[in-house]
Amino acid sequence: MTDDENMLARVQNYRKVVLIYEGLNKTIDKLLMDNDGGTENMSPKDLESYRSMARQRDELLDEMRHLEQQLLENDDPL
């Protein structure tokens, strides 16, 4: 794989992770709005879903930051 192909694959992977993160974030926002903007009034099932999605979102954010760092390290200055 050439350097350009490798960089393209990394960028595509980053974009994929960002899209998944954004979708999950929207789902979490909707769940919060459906429960008066917070977790206090959530059913146990909704609270469990919220916590699971929040953990996944945090993991995705960590992955995004890691991928960003890799892209920045491999970015050649003009």
Side-chain angles (χ1 to χ4, degrees):
M1 183 179 279
T2 68
D3 287 341
D4 287 343
E5 290 171 334
N6 189 24
M7 182 61 81
L8 179 59
R10 287 181 182 205
V11 169
Q12 288 172 334
N13 185 40
Y14 175 76
R15 287 180 180 168
K16 181 182 87 173
V17 172
V18 169
L19 290 174
I20 295 168
Y21 174 88
E22 289 175 346
L24 188 57
N25 200 47
K26 284 181 184 179
T27 302
I28 290 170
D29 286 348
K30 182 178 179 336
L31 181 60
L32 286 169
M33 292 293 90
D34 290 347
N35 286 279
D36 299 323
T39 59
E40 298 82 19
N41 299 320
M42 281 187 187
S43 70
K45 180 182 175 187
D46 282 348
L47 189 55
E48 183 179 331
S49 293
Y50 169 78
R51 288 180 176 158
S52 175
M53 288 187 292
R55 277 190 297 275
Q56 290 173 5
R57 181 184 59 186
D58 290 346
E59 290 170 5
L60 288 166
L61 183 57
D62 288 344
E63 185 176 355
M64 285 169 43
R65 289 180 176 156
H66 178 72
L67 292 170
E68 286 171 357
Q69 189 62 40
Q70 286 181 341
L71 290 169
L72 289 172
E73 287 172 359
N74 292 321
D75 189 24
D76 293 333
L78 299 176

